[in-house]
Amino acid sequence: VQLQASGGGLVQAGGSLRLSCVASGRTFSECVMGWFRQAPGKEREFVAAIRRSSTAYADSVKGRFTISRDNAKNTVYLQMNSLKPEDTAVYYCAANTVVYDLSSPRDYRHWGQGTQVTVSS
């Protein structure tokens, strides 16, 4: 599975962005898809994941971010609303067919190249 993330950019605090991640390969519908982010000087952290139709979110983004998928388009989305300066990071999509801990980067085998999200105050 190859992943291509897009949709990042510069936005003011309170604004919205939608990230997309397109996957190649025939097994997309079987994959657990996740979004992670990494700010400068910090470790990569879990943002959201979707397993079939069930979802999980980091506490820091609950109520503001929504993860969804379109299996017909091999695409997973991350709708980000009410953005805050602390959401600034490079956002990565990730995938694997078997994921035991949705929030652990080590459980994801495939990674996209990352897309920069910058939120100005």
Side-chain angles (χ1 to χ4, degrees):
V1 177
Q2 292 185 325
L3 305 174
Q4 181 74 34
S6 62
L10 173 64
V11 64
Q12 288 188 335
S16 298
L17 282 173
R18 188 176 81 156
L19 305 184
S20 300
C21 177
V22 181
S24 64
R26 301 178 180 178
T27 60
F28 176 79
S29 62
E30 302 169 13
C31 286
V32 177
M33 301 299 298
W35 285 98
F36 292 78
R37 65 188 182 187
Q38 188 166 18
K42 295 187 177 181
E43 293 186 353
R44 192 167 297 190
E45 66 172 1
F46 171 73
V47 176
I50 184 165
R51 189 200 308 267
R52 294 184 185 273
S53 59
S54 64
T55 59
Y57 296 93
D59 288 343
S60 59
V61 306
K62 274 182 185 176
R64 300 188 298 122
F65 291 11
T66 302
I67 188 171
S68 61
R69 67 192 299 162
D70 185 339
N71 289 336
K73 295 182 178 180
N74 276 18
T75 302
V76 63
Y77 303 98
L78 185 68
Q79 178 66 44
M80 306 186 295
N81 298 329
S82 302
L83 282 161
K84 304 175 182 180
E86 51 263 45
D87 294 319
T88 295
V90 177
Y91 283 70
Y92 298 89
C93 59
N96 207 358
T97 52
V98 178
V99 175
Y100 295 104
D101 181 352
L102 292 175
S103 65
S104 173
R106 290 187 295 273
D107 277 24
Y108 293 82
R109 179 179 179 184
H110 309 283
W111 290 84
Q113 85 289 2
T115 184
Q116 176 71 46
V117 172
T118 303
V119 184
S120 63
S121 57

